[in-house]
Amino acid sequence: MKKAILATKIGMTQIFNADGVLVPVTVLEAGPCVVTQIKTVENDGYSAVQVGFGDKKEKVVEKDANGKKSVAHRHGVNKAQMGHFKKAGVSGKKFVREFKFENADEYNLADEIKADIFAEGDKVDVTAISKGKGFQGAIKRLGQHRGPMAHGSKFHRHQGSNGACSSPSKVFKGKGMPGHMGSVKVTTQNLEVVRVDADKNLLLIKGAVPGAKKALITVKETTKSGK
């Protein structure tokens, strides 16, 4: 892997390509990401680049004359994390991830990775946490069929049979049942980069991308050939 970046989802729109075809796209604010650590085989056992994305204020704890503590930016970057960022010469970051670049040794601390690492026509894999849909029934969650809707059926949108009672006297693992839907890690593969706006740090990717608006998105070069 030579190309990867962290981004946030702005939303969807549509644009016309060079042939005049209307293309639905997802707009991502990609980077800039800064290199916070270089992992080496000698020191860490593997080669990778750690990057930070999104500024985050430092957590500040102060005491008054009576010894009472006051905390500013309670959910900010703590001392240990701030020491890690200062060692790299960067400000506090909200998200930190690692990418196993093939050319990891070419990066230096505090180097920036911007949207222009990708180009129009590139194929990418996009990973994010999908939208949460709460507790859902088997029809919506798993695509199961409903029963007859007449009054006498008494079975409309229920689960149905879960298994025989006498043998094997249990429900097998993996049985599709109602439950929590969404809010899981999802990767959509082989999407096309339609346009890159390096000045505004924007990536326009053809089609839908998993995740809600403002969600953290990981964009990597695809592992598929695209054939």
Side-chain angles (χ1 to χ4, degrees):
M1 181 175 65
K2 292 183 178 180
K3 298 179 181 180
I5 198 170
L6 298 177
T8 53
K9 186 175 180 179
I10 296 178
M12 289 196 71
T13 185
Q14 51 191 12
I15 62 173
F16 289 96
N17 63 13
D19 299 325
V21 178
L22 191 64
V23 181
V25 296
T26 302
V27 183
L28 304 180
E29 184 178 353
C33 298
V34 293
V35 177
T36 56
Q37 189 177 3
I38 306 294
K39 298 293 183 74
T40 61
V41 176
E42 296 78 13
N43 190 54
D44 304 285
Y46 64 99
S47 178
V49 175
Q50 185 190 89
V51 301
F53 173 59
D55 291 331
K56 191 175 184 181
K57 294 181 179 180
E58 182 179 2
K59 179 180 178 180
V60 179
V61 181
E62 295 180 347
K63 287 185 179 180
D64 58 16
N66 298 323
K68 185 177 180 180
K69 288 184 178 180
S70 61
V71 181
H73 315 305
R74 182 174 297 275
H75 300 290
V77 181
N78 59 34
K79 279 187 177 182
Q81 294 169 332
M82 204 63 211
H84 179 71
F85 293 133
K86 286 182 178 179
K87 186 177 180 181
V90 300
S91 58
K93 298 300 174 184
K94 187 175 182 180
F95 303 107
V96 177
R97 298 291 186 274
E98 282 187 7
F99 297 130
K100 291 187 177 181
F101 289 137
E102 296 174 8
N103 57 340
D105 55 342
E106 298 178 8
Y107 286 88
N108 299 309
L109 292 176
D111 281 356
E112 285 192 340
I113 301 175
K114 297 183 178 181
D116 57 7
I117 193 173
F118 292 100
E120 183 177 329
D122 284 352
K123 298 291 186 178
V124 295
D125 293 343
V126 181
T127 303
I129 302 298
S130 63
K131 289 183 178 180
K133 297 175 176 62
F135 191 97
Q136 298 297 335
I139 294 177
K140 179 172 181 177
R141 187 183 186 211
L142 302 167
Q144 294 183 4
H145 292 281
R146 63 173 175 79
M149 297 305 287
H151 291 290
S153 73
K154 297 183 180 180
F155 170 69
H156 304 300
R157 296 179 64 90
H158 294 291
Q159 167 69 28
S161 175
N162 291 327
C165 59
S166 59
S167 176
S169 300
K170 66 178 181 179
V171 178
F172 289 107
K173 286 185 177 181
K175 170 67 179 175
M177 302 181 73
H180 186 266
M181 182 179 178
S183 191
V184 293
K185 189 176 182 180
V186 176
T187 298
T188 303
Q189 294 184 307
N190 211 29
L191 297 177
E192 181 183 350
V193 177
V194 178
R195 190 173 298 172
V196 178
D197 190 336
D199 296 332
K200 297 181 180 179
N201 296 313
L202 297 180
L203 286 178
L204 274 62
I205 297 179
K206 184 177 180 180
V209 167
K213 291 181 180 179
K214 300 182 180 181
L216 177 67
I217 310 289
T218 304
V219 184
K220 300 179 181 179
E221 64 177 354
T222 187
T223 57
K224 290 186 175 181
S225 63
K227 294 181 181 180

